[in-house]
Amino acid sequence: MKRAKDWMPGLLLTAPSLVALAIFVYGFIGWNFRISLTNWKALSPDYSFIGLQNYRDLLVDERFKIDIKNSLIFTVVFMVACLLLGLLLAILLDQKLKFEGLFRSVYLLPMAISFIVTGVVWRWLMNPATDDRISGINLLFTKIGLDSLVNQWHLTPNWGMAGIALPAVWQMAGYTMALFLAGIRSIPEEIREAGRVDGASEWRIYRHVILPQLRPIALSAIVILGHISLKVFDLIIAIAGKQLALDVPAIYMWQTSFDAYNFGKGATLATYILFSVAIVIIPYLIFTMRQERNS
Amino acid sequence: MKKSRLSLYPALIFFLIFFLLPVYVVIVTSLKPLGDISLDTMWSLPKSFDFVNYSLAWEKLGPSVINSFQLVIPAALIASFLGSMNGFVLAKWKFPGADVVFPVILFGMFIPYQSILIPLVTTMRELGIYGGIPGLILVHVIYGLPIMTLIFRNYYASVPNELIEAAKVDGAGMLGTYFRVVLPISIPAFIVAIIWEFTSIWNDFLFAVVLTGPSSWPVTVALNNIAGSQIVQWNVQMAGALIASLPTVLVYIILGRYFLRGLMSGALKG
């Protein structure tokens, strides 16, 4: 055991950050939970305790049901598309082609841009107007003879969230590609060589040698994409504003709290969003730290 | 072998077009004169160049672009410096329990900020820093600490222990070791960290929209407001979108390698 004189300065140096995070992350999460148990419904605080009433109300709340459905559709479409496209792009770029750097830079470019800019631009690209008001990608489809692909995008009844997922995939697929590419490149060349010597085709090498090694990367990608999709907020605001058909818990929470000043209910929605993210993130953190310790 | 590789280019170019299509639309639309807005020609190149959209967009976004710079520069510098000190301690000057504290810190970078928003607004009102840029700087510094600490801890983990031990033998204390031995070799990590903070604070919307007022709006909030209105033409909106993304895109183009490293550490892989 080291002596306190040795480690104390380290603790003191990090103390301001640790105290700030203890208050602003954990303290505030606790405080938010406390608010979710109250009947605070106006600008001035009201901490009268009502137990889990807000949670019970939410379970039978029609708008919250729509939100959960929307959130699920978005998450599934966004994650599946990002993972498949990311993996495909990574394998394409792994072929040691000319201009690899250029392709990679362009695929990753959207990561430098905000969801707000992405939303503003795609709102125009996904203009759902038809006939003589037709524009955006729909117009492009008619110009290149793909009229059958013309659609309502994010205003498609019931499946509008899949339309919202399109710009999100545009933004995040390059990132998923970068993760997979880093994973593929970290596999020693000898392992692939061994496969080739055994007469395996390139496809079989990817299928049986490379893909199984990418499992840890795929897990990281799923967790990162998953927690982003559970929090999605600014992209929807920029594309569609606040409309019920494209509502998600994050927007509901924002409107309830800062437009309607129903802080008790807002805090309850916030707790729900935190819970949905935490059940993905906490096991992942524990798993990653354990792995680090073993290596 | 060669031939089968050549056949991959059509696929690569198809995706290149997919990723560049919105960029193309932004540029051609923003350069078209205001009258030239017929929907039918939105995909064609402009017949004549006109920068009037940019001056109109700048009229609306200029002040908020300056706000964004005033926000991002101090926040990125302070957060990365604090992250560097934390990372140093958690990698090379551990106190008992440091390995447990680390994941507890990291959790802070994944939380949905909605879950702390109401207490945060309440606290900032009480402290009298609600609605302005200094308050927003404080918030970004604090919630940037986890990722900053992660980037520097991973970087310092690869610094040989002998270097630290040698400094100790020479009689250097912790601060002496940090400032004279560790800080001078930290420049690559600082570039990665500052780029990450610069990009993510510049692009933030949630904190900005909740914690600032019209005179202190960062550019994301200002852009979203002109986009929501029916009065502002598409040409001007696209010029605004380009202005709002230019700083981070330029950083990406010039320092892409470091940007990528930051992205990778965000996935907890060093």
Side-chain angles (χ1 to χ4, degrees), chain A residues 2 6-7 9-10 17 24 26 31-32 85 95 98 105 107-108 112 114 123-124 136 139 143 170 231 284 292, chain B residues 5 9 12 15 19 29 39-40 42-43 86 93-94 96 104 110 112 115 123 143 153 174 203 227 234 248 252 267:
Chain A
K2 287 195 295 180
D6 291 327
W7 55 256
S17 299
F24 279 74
Y26 294 94
W31 186 357
N32 179 77
L85 186 55
Q95 308 306 314
K98 256 196 184 153
S105 302
Y107 298 166
L108 252 178
S114 64
R123 195 162 75 118
W124 200 31
L139 174 68
K143 293 216 164 187
W170 177 81
K231 296 195 286 200
Y284 176 67
E292 192 192 81
Chain B
R5 282 190 182 178
Y9 281 101
L12 286 165
F15 289 113
F19 284 107
T29 308
L39 292 174
D40 194 49
M42 82 168 266
W43 290 97
N86 296 340
W93 214 281
K94 288 185 187 178
V104 173
F110 293 107
S115 64
T123 303
Y143 293 104
R153 180 183 174 273
M174 183 193 67
N203 291 341
W234 282 112
T248 52
Y252 171 71

Short mmCIF file of all heavy atoms in Angstrom, two decimals, chain A residues 2 6-7 9-10 17 24 26 31-32 85 95 98 105 107-108 112 114 123-124 136 139 143 170 231 284 292, chain B residues 5 9 12 15 19 29 39-40 42-43 86 93-94 96 104 110 112 115 123 143 153 174 203 227 234 248 252 267:
data_model
loop_
_atom_site.label_atom_id
_atom_site.label_comp_id
_atom_site.label_asym_id
_atom_site.label_seq_id
_atom_site.Cartn_x
_atom_site.Cartn_y
_atom_site.Cartn_z
N LYS A 2 0.63 2.10 -0.96
CA LYS A 2 1.41 3.34 -1.02
C LYS A 2 1.02 4.27 0.13
O LYS A 2 -0.08 4.18 0.66
CB LYS A 2 1.17 4.04 -2.37
CG LYS A 2 1.83 3.34 -3.52
CD LYS A 2 1.88 4.25 -4.75
CE LYS A 2 0.48 4.55 -5.26
NZ LYS A 2 0.48 5.41 -6.44
N ASP A 6 2.16 10.12 -0.92
CA ASP A 6 2.44 9.94 -2.34
C ASP A 6 1.21 10.19 -3.21
O ASP A 6 1.31 10.80 -4.27
CB ASP A 6 2.97 8.52 -2.61
CG ASP A 6 4.36 8.34 -2.02
OD1 ASP A 6 5.11 9.33 -2.00
OD2 ASP A 6 4.67 7.22 -1.58
N TRP A 7 0.06 9.65 -2.80
CA TRP A 7 -1.10 9.75 -3.70
C TRP A 7 -2.00 10.95 -3.43
O TRP A 7 -2.80 11.34 -4.27
CB TRP A 7 -1.91 8.45 -3.71
CG TRP A 7 -2.41 7.92 -2.39
CD1 TRP A 7 -1.90 6.88 -1.68
CD2 TRP A 7 -3.54 8.40 -1.64
NE1 TRP A 7 -2.63 6.66 -0.54
CE2 TRP A 7 -3.63 7.59 -0.49
CE3 TRP A 7 -4.47 9.42 -1.82
CZ2 TRP A 7 -4.62 7.77 0.49
CZ3 TRP A 7 -5.45 9.61 -0.84
CH2 TRP A 7 -5.52 8.78 0.30
N PRO A 9 -1.53 14.21 -3.43
CA PRO A 9 -1.55 15.31 -4.42
C PRO A 9 -2.40 14.99 -5.64
O PRO A 9 -3.09 15.87 -6.17
CB PRO A 9 -0.08 15.45 -4.82
CG PRO A 9 0.70 14.83 -3.71
CD PRO A 9 -0.17 13.76 -3.12
N GLY A 10 -2.38 13.73 -6.09
CA GLY A 10 -3.18 13.33 -7.25
C GLY A 10 -4.66 13.51 -6.97
O GLY A 10 -5.41 14.03 -7.81
N SER A 17 -12.57 18.54 -10.46
CA SER A 17 -13.35 17.85 -11.50
C SER A 17 -14.29 16.81 -10.88
O SER A 17 -15.45 16.69 -11.28
CB SER A 17 -12.42 17.13 -12.48
OG SER A 17 -11.58 18.05 -13.13
N PHE A 24 -22.87 17.72 -10.71
CA PHE A 24 -23.60 18.00 -11.96
C PHE A 24 -24.09 16.74 -12.67
O PHE A 24 -25.02 16.82 -13.47
CB PHE A 24 -22.73 18.83 -12.92
CG PHE A 24 -22.72 20.29 -12.61
CD1 PHE A 24 -22.00 20.78 -11.52
CD2 PHE A 24 -23.44 21.20 -13.36
CE1 PHE A 24 -21.98 22.13 -11.20
CE2 PHE A 24 -23.43 22.55 -13.07
CZ PHE A 24 -22.71 23.02 -11.99
N TYR A 26 -24.21 13.13 -10.93
CA TYR A 26 -24.93 12.24 -10.01
C TYR A 26 -25.90 13.00 -9.11
O TYR A 26 -27.04 12.57 -8.88
CB TYR A 26 -23.94 11.40 -9.22
CG TYR A 26 -23.20 10.45 -10.14
CD1 TYR A 26 -21.96 10.79 -10.68
CD2 TYR A 26 -23.78 9.24 -10.52
CE1 TYR A 26 -21.30 9.94 -11.56
CE2 TYR A 26 -23.14 8.39 -11.40
CZ TYR A 26 -21.90 8.74 -11.91
OH TYR A 26 -21.27 7.90 -12.80
N TRP A 31 -31.48 14.63 -7.97
CA TRP A 31 -32.41 15.76 -7.82
C TRP A 31 -33.56 15.66 -8.83
O TRP A 31 -34.73 15.88 -8.51
CB TRP A 31 -31.60 17.05 -8.00
CG TRP A 31 -32.34 18.33 -7.74
CD1 TRP A 31 -33.66 18.48 -7.43
CD2 TRP A 31 -31.79 19.66 -7.79
NE1 TRP A 31 -33.97 19.81 -7.28
CE2 TRP A 31 -32.84 20.56 -7.49
CE3 TRP A 31 -30.51 20.17 -8.05
CZ2 TRP A 31 -32.65 21.93 -7.46
CZ3 TRP A 31 -30.34 21.54 -8.01
CH2 TRP A 31 -31.38 22.41 -7.71
N ASN A 32 -33.20 15.32 -10.07
CA ASN A 32 -34.22 15.15 -11.10
C ASN A 32 -35.22 14.06 -10.70
O ASN A 32 -36.43 14.21 -10.88
CB ASN A 32 -33.56 14.80 -12.44
CG ASN A 32 -34.58 14.58 -13.55
OD1 ASN A 32 -35.12 15.52 -14.09
ND2 ASN A 32 -34.87 13.31 -13.86
N LEU A 85 -24.32 -0.66 -43.60
CA LEU A 85 -23.62 0.23 -44.51
C LEU A 85 -22.18 0.47 -44.02
O LEU A 85 -21.24 0.46 -44.83
CB LEU A 85 -24.39 1.56 -44.61
CG LEU A 85 -23.89 2.58 -45.62
CD1 LEU A 85 -23.81 1.98 -47.00
CD2 LEU A 85 -24.80 3.82 -45.63
N GLN A 95 -9.74 -2.79 -49.31
CA GLN A 95 -9.13 -3.48 -50.45
C GLN A 95 -7.85 -2.81 -50.94
O GLN A 95 -7.37 -3.12 -52.02
CB GLN A 95 -10.13 -3.59 -51.61
CG GLN A 95 -11.46 -4.21 -51.21
CD GLN A 95 -11.31 -5.55 -50.53
OE1 GLN A 95 -10.55 -6.40 -50.99
NE2 GLN A 95 -11.98 -5.74 -49.40
N LYS A 98 -6.62 2.65 -54.74
CA LYS A 98 -6.18 4.04 -54.91
C LYS A 98 -7.28 4.98 -54.42
O LYS A 98 -8.45 4.65 -54.49
CB LYS A 98 -5.90 4.30 -56.39
CG LYS A 98 -4.43 4.34 -56.70
CD LYS A 98 -4.18 4.97 -58.06
CE LYS A 98 -2.69 4.90 -58.35
NZ LYS A 98 -2.40 4.87 -59.77
N SER A 105 -12.38 10.09 -46.33
CA SER A 105 -12.62 11.45 -45.83
C SER A 105 -14.03 11.93 -46.17
O SER A 105 -14.68 12.57 -45.36
CB SER A 105 -11.61 12.43 -46.42
OG SER A 105 -10.32 12.02 -46.10
N TYR A 107 -16.73 10.01 -46.82
CA TYR A 107 -17.72 9.24 -46.07
C TYR A 107 -17.85 9.74 -44.64
O TYR A 107 -18.91 9.65 -44.02
CB TYR A 107 -17.37 7.74 -46.06
CG TYR A 107 -17.34 7.07 -47.43
CD1 TYR A 107 -16.76 5.82 -47.59
CD2 TYR A 107 -17.90 7.69 -48.55
CE1 TYR A 107 -16.72 5.19 -48.83
CE2 TYR A 107 -17.86 7.08 -49.79
CZ TYR A 107 -17.27 5.84 -49.93
OH TYR A 107 -17.24 5.22 -51.14
N LEU A 108 -16.74 10.23 -44.09
CA LEU A 108 -16.74 10.66 -42.69
C LEU A 108 -17.13 12.12 -42.51
O LEU A 108 -17.39 12.56 -41.39
CB LEU A 108 -15.34 10.46 -42.10
CG LEU A 108 -15.13 9.34 -41.10
CD1 LEU A 108 -13.68 9.29 -40.71
CD2 LEU A 108 -15.98 9.51 -39.86
N ALA A 112 -18.53 15.93 -39.02
CA ALA A 112 -18.06 17.25 -38.59
C ALA A 112 -19.20 18.26 -38.53
O ALA A 112 -19.01 19.38 -38.10
CB ALA A 112 -16.95 17.74 -39.53
N SER A 114 -23.24 19.56 -37.64
CA SER A 114 -24.22 19.39 -36.56
C SER A 114 -25.50 18.76 -37.09
O SER A 114 -25.83 18.86 -38.27
CB SER A 114 -24.56 20.74 -35.93
OG SER A 114 -25.18 21.57 -36.88
N ARG A 123 -34.33 18.56 -44.67
CA ARG A 123 -35.73 18.98 -44.70
C ARG A 123 -36.11 19.40 -46.12
O ARG A 123 -37.22 19.18 -46.58
CB ARG A 123 -35.94 20.15 -43.75
CG ARG A 123 -37.38 20.42 -43.43
CD ARG A 123 -37.46 21.26 -42.19
NE ARG A 123 -37.10 22.63 -42.48
CZ ARG A 123 -37.94 23.64 -42.31
NH1 ARG A 123 -39.15 23.41 -41.86
NH2 ARG A 123 -37.56 24.86 -42.57
N TRP A 124 -35.17 20.01 -46.78
CA TRP A 124 -35.45 20.43 -48.15
C TRP A 124 -35.34 19.25 -49.12
O TRP A 124 -36.13 19.10 -50.03
CB TRP A 124 -34.50 21.56 -48.55
CG TRP A 124 -35.04 22.32 -49.71
CD1 TRP A 124 -36.35 22.51 -50.02
CD2 TRP A 124 -34.29 22.96 -50.73
NE1 TRP A 124 -36.47 23.24 -51.16
CE2 TRP A 124 -35.23 23.53 -51.62
CE3 TRP A 124 -32.94 23.13 -50.97
CZ2 TRP A 124 -34.84 24.25 -52.74
CZ3 TRP A 124 -32.56 23.85 -52.09
CH2 TRP A 124 -33.48 24.40 -52.96
N GLY A 136 -36.67 18.46 -54.32
CA GLY A 136 -35.79 17.63 -53.51
C GLY A 136 -35.46 16.31 -54.18
O GLY A 136 -35.38 16.21 -55.41
N LEU A 139 -37.85 15.00 -56.85
CA LEU A 139 -37.65 15.59 -58.18
C LEU A 139 -36.52 14.88 -58.91
O LEU A 139 -36.61 14.56 -60.09
CB LEU A 139 -37.36 17.09 -58.04
CG LEU A 139 -36.99 17.84 -59.32
CD1 LEU A 139 -38.19 17.91 -60.25
CD2 LEU A 139 -36.49 19.23 -59.00
N LYS A 143 -36.47 12.83 -62.47
CA LYS A 143 -35.57 13.23 -63.57
C LYS A 143 -34.74 12.06 -64.08
O LYS A 143 -34.32 12.06 -65.24
CB LYS A 143 -34.63 14.33 -63.09
CG LYS A 143 -35.38 15.61 -62.80
CD LYS A 143 -34.59 16.85 -63.16
CE LYS A 143 -35.56 18.00 -63.21
NZ LYS A 143 -35.03 19.24 -63.69
N TRP A 170 -27.09 8.97 -42.92
CA TRP A 170 -26.14 9.77 -43.71
C TRP A 170 -25.06 10.34 -42.79
O TRP A 170 -23.88 10.36 -43.13
CB TRP A 170 -26.90 10.90 -44.42
CG TRP A 170 -26.03 11.83 -45.21
CD1 TRP A 170 -25.55 11.60 -46.47
CD2 TRP A 170 -25.55 13.11 -44.82
NE1 TRP A 170 -24.78 12.68 -46.87
CE2 TRP A 170 -24.77 13.62 -45.88
CE3 TRP A 170 -25.69 13.89 -43.66
CZ2 TRP A 170 -24.14 14.87 -45.82
CZ3 TRP A 170 -25.07 15.13 -43.61
CH2 TRP A 170 -24.30 15.60 -44.68
N LYS A 231 -31.43 9.14 -27.68
CA LYS A 231 -31.41 10.55 -27.28
C LYS A 231 -31.82 11.48 -28.41
O LYS A 231 -31.82 12.69 -28.23
CB LYS A 231 -29.99 10.92 -26.83
CG LYS A 231 -29.52 10.17 -25.60
CD LYS A 231 -28.31 10.81 -24.96
CE LYS A 231 -27.05 10.60 -25.73
NZ LYS A 231 -25.82 10.81 -24.92
N TYR A 284 -22.03 -2.10 -20.54
CA TYR A 284 -20.93 -1.89 -21.48
C TYR A 284 -19.70 -1.33 -20.77
O TYR A 284 -18.57 -1.78 -21.01
CB TYR A 284 -21.40 -0.94 -22.58
CG TYR A 284 -20.33 -0.56 -23.58
CD1 TYR A 284 -19.79 -1.51 -24.45
CD2 TYR A 284 -19.86 0.74 -23.67
CE1 TYR A 284 -18.82 -1.16 -25.36
CE2 TYR A 284 -18.90 1.10 -24.58
CZ TYR A 284 -18.38 0.15 -25.43
OH TYR A 284 -17.41 0.51 -26.34
N GLU A 292 -10.18 -4.30 -19.92
CA GLU A 292 -8.94 -3.52 -19.82
C GLU A 292 -8.06 -4.06 -18.71
O GLU A 292 -6.86 -4.17 -18.86
CB GLU A 292 -9.30 -2.05 -19.56
CG GLU A 292 -8.12 -1.11 -19.73
CD GLU A 292 -8.41 0.28 -19.20
OE1 GLU A 292 -8.30 0.48 -17.97
OE2 GLU A 292 -8.76 1.13 -19.99
N ARG B 5 -10.69 -5.73 -58.44
CA ARG B 5 -10.64 -4.52 -57.62
C ARG B 5 -11.20 -3.32 -58.36
O ARG B 5 -11.86 -2.48 -57.77
CB ARG B 5 -9.20 -4.22 -57.21
CG ARG B 5 -8.78 -5.12 -56.09
CD ARG B 5 -7.48 -4.69 -55.53
NE ARG B 5 -7.10 -5.61 -54.51
CZ ARG B 5 -5.97 -5.52 -53.85
NH1 ARG B 5 -5.13 -4.56 -54.14
NH2 ARG B 5 -5.68 -6.37 -52.91
N TYR B 9 -14.90 0.20 -57.83
CA TYR B 9 -15.02 1.66 -57.90
C TYR B 9 -16.45 2.16 -58.11
O TYR B 9 -16.83 3.16 -57.51
CB TYR B 9 -14.05 2.23 -58.95
CG TYR B 9 -12.65 2.33 -58.40
CD1 TYR B 9 -11.68 1.40 -58.72
CD2 TYR B 9 -12.31 3.37 -57.54
CE1 TYR B 9 -10.40 1.48 -58.19
CE2 TYR B 9 -11.03 3.47 -57.01
CZ TYR B 9 -10.07 2.52 -57.34
OH TYR B 9 -8.83 2.62 -56.81
N LEU B 12 -17.94 2.39 -54.76
CA LEU B 12 -17.34 3.47 -53.97
C LEU B 12 -17.84 4.83 -54.44
O LEU B 12 -18.11 5.71 -53.64
CB LEU B 12 -15.81 3.40 -54.07
CG LEU B 12 -15.16 2.28 -53.28
CD1 LEU B 12 -13.72 2.06 -53.74
CD2 LEU B 12 -15.19 2.58 -51.79
N PHE B 15 -21.48 5.61 -53.38
CA PHE B 15 -21.58 6.11 -52.00
C PHE B 15 -20.99 7.51 -51.87
O PHE B 15 -21.45 8.32 -51.07
CB PHE B 15 -20.93 5.14 -51.02
CG PHE B 15 -21.73 3.89 -50.84
CD1 PHE B 15 -21.25 2.66 -51.28
CD2 PHE B 15 -23.00 3.93 -50.28
CE1 PHE B 15 -22.00 1.51 -51.13
CE2 PHE B 15 -23.76 2.80 -50.13
CZ PHE B 15 -23.26 1.57 -50.56
N PHE B 19 -23.01 10.65 -50.20
CA PHE B 19 -22.55 11.51 -49.11
C PHE B 19 -22.38 12.97 -49.56
O PHE B 19 -22.46 13.87 -48.74
CB PHE B 19 -21.25 10.97 -48.50
CG PHE B 19 -21.47 9.78 -47.61
CD1 PHE B 19 -21.10 8.50 -48.03
CD2 PHE B 19 -22.07 9.91 -46.37
CE1 PHE B 19 -21.33 7.40 -47.22
CE2 PHE B 19 -22.30 8.82 -45.57
CZ PHE B 19 -21.94 7.56 -45.99
N THR B 29 -27.57 25.82 -54.42
CA THR B 29 -28.73 26.63 -54.03
C THR B 29 -28.30 27.97 -53.44
O THR B 29 -28.88 29.00 -53.74
CB THR B 29 -29.59 25.87 -52.99
OG1 THR B 29 -29.87 24.57 -53.49
CG2 THR B 29 -30.88 26.60 -52.73
N LEU B 39 -38.56 25.51 -58.42
CA LEU B 39 -38.27 24.19 -57.86
C LEU B 39 -37.69 23.25 -58.92
O LEU B 39 -36.83 22.43 -58.62
CB LEU B 39 -39.56 23.59 -57.30
CG LEU B 39 -40.13 24.29 -56.06
CD1 LEU B 39 -41.46 23.69 -55.69
CD2 LEU B 39 -39.15 24.19 -54.90
N ASP B 40 -38.19 23.42 -60.15
CA ASP B 40 -37.81 22.48 -61.19
C ASP B 40 -36.30 22.48 -61.46
O ASP B 40 -35.76 21.48 -61.92
CB ASP B 40 -38.57 22.83 -62.48
CG ASP B 40 -38.48 21.70 -63.48
OD1 ASP B 40 -38.74 20.56 -63.07
OD2 ASP B 40 -38.14 21.97 -64.65
N MET B 42 -33.87 22.98 -59.16
CA MET B 42 -33.07 22.96 -57.94
C MET B 42 -31.80 22.09 -58.05
O MET B 42 -30.84 22.31 -57.34
CB MET B 42 -33.89 22.55 -56.73
CG MET B 42 -34.10 21.07 -56.53
SD MET B 42 -34.78 20.69 -54.90
CE MET B 42 -33.30 20.35 -53.94
N TRP B 43 -31.81 21.14 -58.98
CA TRP B 43 -30.62 20.29 -59.10
C TRP B 43 -29.63 20.81 -60.14
O TRP B 43 -28.53 20.27 -60.28
CB TRP B 43 -31.00 18.86 -59.44
CG TRP B 43 -31.68 18.18 -58.29
CD1 TRP B 43 -33.03 18.05 -58.12
CD2 TRP B 43 -31.07 17.58 -57.14
NE1 TRP B 43 -33.29 17.41 -56.93
CE2 TRP B 43 -32.11 17.11 -56.32
CE3 TRP B 43 -29.75 17.41 -56.73
CZ2 TRP B 43 -31.88 16.47 -55.10
CZ3 TRP B 43 -29.51 16.76 -55.52
CH2 TRP B 43 -30.56 16.31 -54.73
N ASN B 86 -6.52 15.46 -15.10
CA ASN B 86 -7.22 14.27 -14.62
C ASN B 86 -6.64 13.00 -15.24
O ASN B 86 -6.43 12.00 -14.55
CB ASN B 86 -8.71 14.33 -14.98
CG ASN B 86 -9.43 15.46 -14.29
OD1 ASN B 86 -8.94 15.99 -13.28
ND2 ASN B 86 -10.55 15.86 -14.83
N TRP B 93 -0.50 8.74 -11.64
CA TRP B 93 -0.33 9.14 -10.25
C TRP B 93 -1.57 8.73 -9.47
O TRP B 93 -2.25 9.55 -8.86
CB TRP B 93 -0.10 10.67 -10.15
CG TRP B 93 0.82 11.05 -9.03
CD1 TRP B 93 0.48 11.14 -7.69
CD2 TRP B 93 2.20 11.37 -9.11
NE1 TRP B 93 1.57 11.48 -6.96
CE2 TRP B 93 2.64 11.64 -7.80
CE3 TRP B 93 3.13 11.45 -10.15
CZ2 TRP B 93 3.98 11.99 -7.51
CZ3 TRP B 93 4.44 11.80 -9.85
CH2 TRP B 93 4.85 12.07 -8.55
N LYS B 94 -1.87 7.41 -9.55
CA LYS B 94 -3.16 6.93 -9.07
C LYS B 94 -3.30 7.04 -7.56
O LYS B 94 -2.35 6.79 -6.82
CB LYS B 94 -3.34 5.47 -9.48
CG LYS B 94 -3.58 5.30 -10.96
CD LYS B 94 -3.88 3.85 -11.31
CE LYS B 94 -3.94 3.69 -12.81
NZ LYS B 94 -4.18 2.30 -13.20
N PRO B 96 -5.77 5.56 -4.28
CA PRO B 96 -6.56 4.34 -4.07
C PRO B 96 -7.98 4.53 -4.59
O PRO B 96 -8.60 5.54 -4.31
CB PRO B 96 -6.56 4.17 -2.54
CG PRO B 96 -5.39 4.97 -2.07
CD PRO B 96 -5.20 6.09 -3.03
N VAL B 104 -16.84 5.61 -13.32
CA VAL B 104 -17.89 6.45 -12.73
C VAL B 104 -17.88 7.83 -13.41
O VAL B 104 -18.92 8.43 -13.65
CB VAL B 104 -17.70 6.57 -11.20
CG1 VAL B 104 -18.67 7.59 -10.62
CG2 VAL B 104 -17.90 5.21 -10.54
N PHE B 110 -22.16 9.64 -21.39
CA PHE B 110 -23.22 8.93 -22.11
C PHE B 110 -24.62 9.37 -21.68
O PHE B 110 -25.59 9.06 -22.37
CB PHE B 110 -23.09 7.42 -21.89
CG PHE B 110 -21.85 6.83 -22.52
CD1 PHE B 110 -20.78 6.42 -21.75
CD2 PHE B 110 -21.77 6.68 -23.90
CE1 PHE B 110 -19.64 5.89 -22.33
CE2 PHE B 110 -20.64 6.14 -24.48
CZ PHE B 110 -19.57 5.74 -23.70
N PRO B 112 -28.14 10.99 -21.16
CA PRO B 112 -28.94 11.95 -21.92
C PRO B 112 -29.07 13.21 -21.05
O PRO B 112 -29.44 13.12 -19.88
CB PRO B 112 -30.29 11.24 -22.07
CG PRO B 112 -30.32 10.18 -21.04
CD PRO B 112 -28.93 9.87 -20.62
N SER B 115 -31.76 14.34 -18.53
CA SER B 115 -31.91 13.83 -17.17
C SER B 115 -31.28 14.74 -16.12
O SER B 115 -31.42 14.49 -14.92
CB SER B 115 -31.33 12.42 -17.07
OG SER B 115 -29.93 12.47 -17.30
N THR B 123 -30.37 25.51 -10.92
CA THR B 123 -29.12 25.92 -10.27
C THR B 123 -28.55 27.17 -10.93
O THR B 123 -28.10 28.10 -10.25
CB THR B 123 -28.08 24.78 -10.36
OG1 THR B 123 -28.66 23.63 -9.77
CG2 THR B 123 -26.81 25.14 -9.64
N TYR B 143 -19.52 19.07 -18.50
CA TYR B 143 -19.97 17.85 -19.16
C TYR B 143 -18.97 17.37 -20.23
O TYR B 143 -19.12 16.27 -20.77
CB TYR B 143 -21.38 18.03 -19.72
CG TYR B 143 -22.38 18.17 -18.60
CD1 TYR B 143 -22.91 19.42 -18.27
CD2 TYR B 143 -22.73 17.08 -17.81
CE1 TYR B 143 -23.79 19.57 -17.20
CE2 TYR B 143 -23.60 17.22 -16.75
CZ TYR B 143 -24.13 18.47 -16.45
OH TYR B 143 -24.98 18.61 -15.38
N ARG B 153 -6.21 10.13 -20.52
CA ARG B 153 -5.80 8.94 -19.76
C ARG B 153 -5.27 7.87 -20.73
O ARG B 153 -4.23 7.26 -20.48
CB ARG B 153 -6.96 8.38 -18.95
CG ARG B 153 -6.58 7.14 -18.14
CD ARG B 153 -7.79 6.60 -17.42
NE ARG B 153 -7.55 5.35 -16.74
CZ ARG B 153 -7.67 4.16 -17.31
NH1 ARG B 153 -7.97 4.07 -18.58
NH2 ARG B 153 -7.46 3.06 -16.60
N MET B 174 4.65 15.85 -7.82
CA MET B 174 3.64 15.55 -8.84
C MET B 174 3.48 16.68 -9.85
O MET B 174 3.50 16.45 -11.06
CB MET B 174 2.30 15.26 -8.18
CG MET B 174 1.24 14.88 -9.19
SD MET B 174 -0.39 14.91 -8.49
CE MET B 174 -0.57 16.65 -8.19
N ASN B 203 -21.39 22.24 -32.39
CA ASN B 203 -22.56 21.57 -32.94
C ASN B 203 -23.67 21.33 -31.92
O ASN B 203 -24.74 20.84 -32.27
CB ASN B 203 -22.15 20.23 -33.57
CG ASN B 203 -21.33 20.44 -34.83
OD1 ASN B 203 -21.35 21.52 -35.42
ND2 ASN B 203 -20.60 19.41 -35.24
N ALA B 227 -34.55 28.59 -40.08
CA ALA B 227 -35.06 27.47 -40.86
C ALA B 227 -36.54 27.24 -40.57
O ALA B 227 -37.29 26.84 -41.44
CB ALA B 227 -34.27 26.21 -40.57
N TRP B 234 -35.15 29.51 -49.27
CA TRP B 234 -34.26 28.35 -49.24
C TRP B 234 -32.82 28.74 -49.56
O TRP B 234 -31.88 28.23 -48.95
CB TRP B 234 -34.73 27.28 -50.22
CG TRP B 234 -35.87 26.49 -49.69
CD1 TRP B 234 -37.15 26.49 -50.15
CD2 TRP B 234 -35.83 25.61 -48.57
NE1 TRP B 234 -37.92 25.65 -49.39
CE2 TRP B 234 -37.14 25.09 -48.42
CE3 TRP B 234 -34.84 25.21 -47.68
CZ2 TRP B 234 -37.47 24.20 -47.42
CZ3 TRP B 234 -35.18 24.31 -46.69
CH2 TRP B 234 -36.47 23.82 -46.57
N THR B 248 -16.22 23.97 -38.44
CA THR B 248 -15.90 22.59 -38.08
C THR B 248 -15.47 21.78 -39.31
O THR B 248 -14.62 20.90 -39.20
CB THR B 248 -17.11 21.90 -37.41
OG1 THR B 248 -18.25 22.06 -38.25
CG2 THR B 248 -17.39 22.48 -36.05
N TYR B 252 -11.99 19.83 -39.87
CA TYR B 252 -11.99 18.43 -40.29
C TYR B 252 -11.08 18.23 -41.51
O TYR B 252 -10.31 17.27 -41.57
CB TYR B 252 -13.41 17.98 -40.62
CG TYR B 252 -13.48 16.63 -41.27
CD1 TYR B 252 -13.21 15.48 -40.51
CD2 TYR B 252 -13.78 16.48 -42.61
CE1 TYR B 252 -13.25 14.24 -41.11
CE2 TYR B 252 -13.82 15.24 -43.20
CZ TYR B 252 -13.56 14.12 -42.45
OH TYR B 252 -13.59 12.88 -43.03
N ALA B 267 -15.43 5.86 -28.62
CA ALA B 267 -15.95 4.49 -28.52
C ALA B 267 -15.17 3.70 -27.47
O ALA B 267 -15.21 2.48 -27.47
CB ALA B 267 -15.87 3.79 -29.87
#
